[in-house]
């Protein structure tokens, strides 16, 4: 099974490496504007395959994406220190206008997995440019935010992260919504579990966890210039779900007809992911405060996309 990656920078190369370590694909093709960089990454990652899985990793150009079942789009300009994801819009929309038609000419049957920030708006841009059904244009959305939320809750509760079931919805960015009201641990309500564990969640604990999730990207970018390992692993996980027709539930971004009264907007909600992309959306149980926050998030994203004409 072939997977294409368009964009061979930090995110694209980290994703290729994660695909190899997880043994997700049989062939990975890296396409990048800087062809020497793409070739160097492909060669370096190929040398890791004896220690991981037998994946053929190579660089190429758009025509080499032929037959790919998934094409990960990580092309675009990097987020600058202190720059919000939404400010990236103008620059990255221009990149997509060039690359999306080239991808679909070579791989018209592929599921597009969008990673470029601001990912929700770029998912909507890619959907409009592609002409594909919305379920085949999937943004990485809040998968990483959800993972951060679960990891920080697990750390506080002294429990394995995989036992924590909690979502972050809305924008992958400043207006994202941490859904506390329906969070569970091992099938038990979060508050009840925390009390039983002797690890009650105080308002200060909630604020600390919220900040830990919401501000993570800014801290990482300030420290090393970009985020890529976490999202690379997340993209590899989503790719596995598509290639294996897993039908797992992930908080991914998708062009959605209506969310909390806001029409035609791409944002993250829990969704079932399979071979042809998103099969269904599962609307989480929200309290009134969370519903209002999700509406605000949708309005922000809708306004950003509309300003671009998408």
């Amino acid at each position: 099974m072939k997977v294409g990656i368009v964009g061979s920078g930090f995110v694209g190369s980290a994703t290729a490496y994660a695909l190899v370590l997880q043994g997700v694909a049989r062939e990975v093709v890296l396409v990048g504007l800087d062809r020497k960089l793409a070739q160097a990454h492909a060669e370096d990652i190929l040398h890791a395959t004896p220690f991981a899985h037998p994946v053929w990793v190579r660089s190429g150009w758009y025509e080499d994406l032929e037959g790919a079942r998934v094409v990960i789009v990580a092309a675009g300009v990097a987020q600058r220190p202190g720059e919000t994801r939404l400010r990236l819009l103008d620059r990255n929309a221009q990149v997509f206008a060039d690359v999306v038609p080239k991808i679909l000419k070579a791989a018209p049957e592929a599921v597009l997995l969008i990673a470029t920030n601001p990912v929700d708006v770029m998912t909507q841009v890619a959907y409009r440019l592609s002409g594909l059904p919305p379920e085949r244009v999937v943004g990485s959305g809040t998968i990483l935010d959800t993972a951060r939320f679960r990891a920080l809750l697990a750390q506080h509760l002294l429990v394995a992260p995989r036992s924590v079931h909690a979502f972050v919805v809305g924008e992958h960015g400043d207006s994202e919504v941490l859904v506390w009201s329906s969070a569970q641990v091992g099938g038990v309500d979060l508050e009840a579990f925390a009390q039983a564990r002797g690890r009650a969640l105080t308002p200060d604990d909630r604020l600390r966890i919220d900040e830990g999730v919401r501000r993570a990207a800014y801290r990482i970018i300030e420290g090393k210039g970009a985020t890529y390992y976490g999202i690379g692993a997340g993209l590899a996980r989503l790719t596995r779900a598509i290639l294996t027709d897993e039908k797992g539930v992930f908080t991914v971004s998708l062009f959605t007809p209506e969310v909390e009264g806001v029409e035609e907007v791409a944002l993250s909600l829990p969704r079932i992911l399979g071979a042809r992309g998103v099969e269904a959306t599962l609307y989480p149980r929200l309290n009134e405060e969370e519903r209002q926050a999700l509406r605000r998030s949708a309005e922000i994203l809708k306004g950003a996309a509309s300003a671009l004409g998408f």
Side-chain angles (χ1 to χ4, degrees):
M1 292 179 286
K2 180 190 285 188
V3 174
I5 301 175
V6 177
S8 57
F10 286 126
V11 172
S13 59
T15 301
Y17 188 49
L19 289 169
V20 166
L21 292 183
Q22 296 182 28
V24 171
R26 292 294 296 161
E27 180 181 357
V28 175
V29 179
L30 270 170
V31 175
L33 189 61
D34 186 337
R35 297 199 187 194
K36 288 183 67 176
L37 179 63
Q39 181 179 351
H41 278 312
E43 186 174 351
D44 193 15
I45 295 168
L46 178 67
H47 297 165
T49 57
F51 309 112
H53 295 272
V55 181
W56 181 27
V57 185
R58 64 189 179 97
S59 63
W61 201 236
Y62 289 95
E63 59 267 21
D64 297 301
L65 298 173
E66 182 180 1
R69 289 182 55 189
V70 178
V71 176
I72 298 163
V73 186
V77 292
Q79 187 175 2
R80 297 165 178 164
E83 182 180 38
T84 65
R85 292 180 178 93
L86 292 177
R87 291 179 182 172
L88 290 170
L89 269 174
D90 288 334
R91 296 187 291 155
N92 281 335
Q94 294 173 25
V95 173
F96 270 39
D98 177 57
V99 304
V100 169
K102 293 177 180 177
I103 293 169
L104 291 177
K105 181 179 179 181
E109 299 302 314
V111 173
L112 300 186
L113 187 49
I114 310 301
T116 303
N117 275 323
V119 69
D120 303 291
V121 181
M122 297 313 300
T123 298
Q124 186 154 337
V125 169
Y127 162 67
R128 295 293 196 192
L129 290 171
S130 70
L132 294 174
E135 62 268 17
R136 283 180 53 198
V137 185
V138 183
S140 57
T142 58
I143 56 163
L144 188 52
D145 310 277
T146 290
R148 289 165 176 159
F149 188 24
R150 293 177 179 181
L152 292 177
L153 281 173
Q155 184 181 55
H156 177 82
L157 298 170
L158 303 178
V159 67
R162 289 192 178 185
S163 295
V164 179
H165 300 280
F167 299 117
V168 177
V169 299
E171 179 198 359
H172 171 53
D174 296 341
S175 70
E176 64 191 23
V177 182
L178 281 65
V179 183
W180 292 89
S181 64
S182 58
Q184 294 184 332
V185 184
V188 178
D189 175 78
L190 174 62
E191 287 293 342
F193 185 93
Q195 291 289 344
R197 188 73 166 124
R199 304 285 295 176
L201 284 155
T202 67
D204 284 345
D205 292 326
R206 287 174 176 259
L207 180 60
R208 171 179 52 81
I209 291 171
D210 185 286
E211 285 291 302
V213 174
R214 197 179 304 275
R215 302 295 299 176
Y218 293 108
R219 293 192 303 274
I220 293 168
I221 290 168
E222 183 180 4
K224 67 173 190 174
T227 65
Y228 38 93
Y229 291 131
I231 191 58
L235 289 164
R237 182 68 185 86
L238 295 179
T239 301
R240 179 188 293 278
I242 296 168
L243 294 181
T244 62
D245 195 22
E246 180 181 327
K247 304 186 191 306
V249 177
F250 304 90
T251 50
V252 292
S253 190
L254 193 78
F255 181 80
T256 307
E258 184 272 332
V259 178
E260 293 295 333
V262 181
E263 297 182 345
E264 297 190 337
V265 61
L267 46 61
S268 284
L269 289 168
R271 307 183 196 267
I272 298 173
L273 194 61
R276 300 302 294 168
V278 170
E279 294 189 359
T281 295
L282 311 173
Y283 209 94
R285 187 178 74 249
L286 306 174
N287 62 28
E288 185 58 31
E289 182 180 357
E290 291 162 348
R291 294 178 75 92
Q292 291 300 320
L294 180 57
R295 178 180 175 85
R296 288 193 297 272
S297 188
E299 288 172 341
I300 289 169
L301 292 168
K302 171 74 173 182
S306 296
L308 286 177
F310 290 94

